[in-house]
Amino acid sequence: MPLPVLLLRAAGAWSRLRPPSVAGRSFRYGGRPGLAVPPRLPAALPAPRRLLLAGSGTGCVLLGLLRSAARCQEATVPNGPPAAPEPPETPPETPFDWPLFWTFLRPQLLALSAAVVLALGAALLNVRIPVLLGQLVDVVARCARGHVATYLREVRRPALRLLAVVYCLQGLLTFGYIALLARVGERVAGNMRKALFSALLRQEVAFFDATRTGQLVTRLTADIQEFKSSFKLAISQGLRSGTQTAGCFVSLYLLSPRLTALLLVALPALVGAGAFIGAFLRSLSRQAQEQVAKATVVADEALGNVRTVRAFAMEEQQAGLFRAEVDRAGRLSERLGLGIAAFQGLSNLALNGIVLGTIFVGGSLMAGDQLSPGDLMSFLVASQTVQRSLASISILMGQVGVVRGPGTP
């Protein structure tokens, strides 16, 4: 209520409290009408004292009204709806601390070195598989053309070499390096969790007031688990894929320099197109994740300040705001799914086209006795190995950001 209106009402109440001054007016006292004499009042006070009392009373009333007005102004709240929460700013990326990581990795250096050696051995054996398969196909083709009766004796040696020397030994080496990497990864992750928990316990109380507990628990569990998986992938897939790519290119050149030259012409163009499409898909995926984060912030702010939302009856508006953010995130994720589907379709088309082109050109070379059936088979298998290795390397490059990790609190 405005202050002048309060003052006018107070003045009216003060005038009604004064005794009547009109003589001969009828009053009702004790339930008996007709008494014309007003009740006896005390003797009038002197003028200075009356002025003092009146001034004191008026001052008290004014002070009370001003205090009430001040309290009303303090209690005034804005009538507008609460503003939409802003998403948290992305912290700057912290450079990877290699010396600190070395302190965790150094106690496991022996096991890690053994795992690296076993992984390289498995990769080199995998390079030999296409060559041995080509020799086996040559024996089969020769026996099929000449109807050789000693087929089992002819095919036994390359088959046993392929089975015992390559397949069995490769399986043992793969078992060894995967087991050693699992041991190294678990111990490094355990030491990192212990060190991180000890560092968190030494933080100031203000740090826990400013940081959510769920964030810290995520750092202790999910983030370290993701780091461990990415570290093992970088050691195993990185070394094996790189070694297989280099070794298979050497094998391809030894088998047929002409086919290798054609492959080197087509493969970089395909890899470049795939890298461009992959960069676009990573950007779209980042946008979708940021939009999901915005929707999460809206939900977190609304649920964390549910009293304010209820006080302003803003349930429907907050629900509409959350639905709009979720719908926007869904549209971005759908676009990402369409992009991934198109990328996979184009990849399959390109890989099958490479196989078809290899068979077409290799068949012409076989017709001119420049290439044997076994060599063509070896070339096809080696080219497929190169393609799988390049795909693994591209996946590994996508995990580089995860291995480095964002800045932790």
Side-chain angles (χ1 to χ4, degrees):
M1 184 178 294
L3 185 59
V5 177
L6 293 175
L7 291 175
L8 289 176
R9 288 190 177 183
W14 180 264
S15 62
R16 285 194 299 271
L17 289 175
R18 292 182 304 172
S21 58
V22 179
R25 189 172 179 177
S26 176
F27 294 90
R28 298 176 65 91
Y29 297 107
R32 293 179 298 170
L35 293 179
V37 181
R40 183 173 298 177
L41 297 174
L45 295 174
R49 188 174 297 178
R50 288 202 304 270
L51 182 61
L52 180 61
L53 290 175
S56 302
T58 306
C60 292
V61 172
L62 288 176
L63 287 176
L65 292 175
L66 290 174
R67 187 177 301 172
S68 301
R71 289 179 180 176
C72 290
Q73 290 178 358
E74 291 177 358
T76 302
V77 292
N79 295 326
E86 294 292 334
E89 296 182 358
T90 304
E93 185 179 356
T94 305
F96 192 83
D97 195 347
W98 289 104
L100 180 61
F101 178 65
W102 176 250
T103 60
F104 294 112
L105 192 60
R106 185 170 53 191
Q108 313 298 327
L109 189 58
L110 182 60
L112 181 61
S113 302
V116 168
V117 172
L118 294 179
L120 289 175
L124 291 175
L125 287 178
N126 203 18
V127 171
R128 289 288 301 170
I129 289 178
V131 178
L132 295 178
L133 280 176
Q135 295 176 2
L136 182 62
V137 169
D138 282 336
V139 172
V140 173
R142 185 174 63 253
C143 293
R145 284 196 305 264
H147 301 284
V148 179
T150 59
Y151 168 74
L152 293 179
R153 189 175 57 193
E154 294 289 336
V155 82
R156 182 184 305 166
R157 184 175 180 180
L160 289 178
R161 185 188 304 171
L162 186 63
L163 177 63
V165 178
V166 178
Y167 288 160
C168 294
L169 186 57
Q170 186 194 30
L172 290 175
L173 294 179
T174 303
F175 168 78
Y177 84 79
I178 289 179
L180 288 175
L181 280 180
R183 175 185 174 184
V184 172
E186 291 298 334
R187 293 193 177 185
V188 170
N191 293 333
M192 291 175 68
R193 285 194 181 97
K194 296 173 186 177
L196 179 57
F197 186 72
S198 301
L200 289 176
L201 291 180
R202 291 193 296 268
Q203 298 296 322
E204 299 291 338
V205 178
F207 170 79
F208 297 96
D209 295 336
T211 310
R212 297 177 182 176
T213 305
Q215 240 180 351
L216 303 179
V217 173
T218 302
R219 295 291 183 267
L220 280 170
T221 56
D223 285 1
I224 293 183
Q225 181 70 24
E226 187 68 26
F227 182 88
K228 180 190 69 175
S229 302
S230 302
F231 170 73
K232 288 163 47 175
L233 182 66
I235 297 297
S236 61
Q237 297 292 334
L239 287 174
R240 192 175 67 178
S241 299
T243 305
Q244 288 178 176
T245 302
C248 286
F249 267 119
V250 173
S251 299
L252 290 175
Y253 181 78
L254 294 177
L255 290 172
S256 175
R258 185 175 176 183
L259 282 177
T260 306
L262 292 176
L263 185 63
L264 290 177
V265 170
L267 199 59
L270 296 177
V271 171
F276 177 76
I277 298 175
F280 172 74
L281 292 178
R282 282 193 296 270
S283 175
L284 196 58
S285 174
R286 193 180 306 111
Q287 294 177 14
Q289 291 176 0
E290 291 175 356
Q291 185 59 40
V292 171
K294 290 181 182 179
T296 304
V297 169
V298 170
D300 183 72
E301 292 294 332
L303 296 177
N305 301 280
V306 67
R307 296 180 182 273
T308 306
V309 174
R310 291 284 182 85
F312 286 98
M314 300 297 294
E315 293 90 343
E316 291 299 327
Q317 183 172 352
Q318 291 297 319
L321 181 61
F322 181 73
R323 283 195 297 267
E325 299 292 342
V326 170
D327 291 341
R328 198 173 295 116
R331 287 192 294 269
L332 288 174
S333 298
E334 289 176 3
R335 289 178 56 191
L336 177 62
L338 290 176
I340 293 175
F343 179 73
Q344 292 292 335
L346 292 176
S347 299
N348 293 334
L349 179 63
L351 296 179
N352 293 328
I354 290 177
V355 173
L356 182 61
T358 302
I359 293 176
F360 178 79
V361 178
S364 64
L365 294 177
M366 285 178 57
D369 290 334
Q370 299 179 14
L371 195 67
S372 66
D375 292 339
L376 180 59
M377 180 66 182
S378 299
F379 196 93
L380 286 173
V381 175
S383 62
Q384 292 291 323
T385 303
V386 170
Q387 293 164 9
R388 289 195 302 268
S389 300
L390 291 177
S392 299
I393 290 175
S394 65
I395 294 174
L396 178 63
M397 295 303 295
Q399 294 288 331
V400 170
V402 179
V403 173
R404 294 185 62 184
T408 55

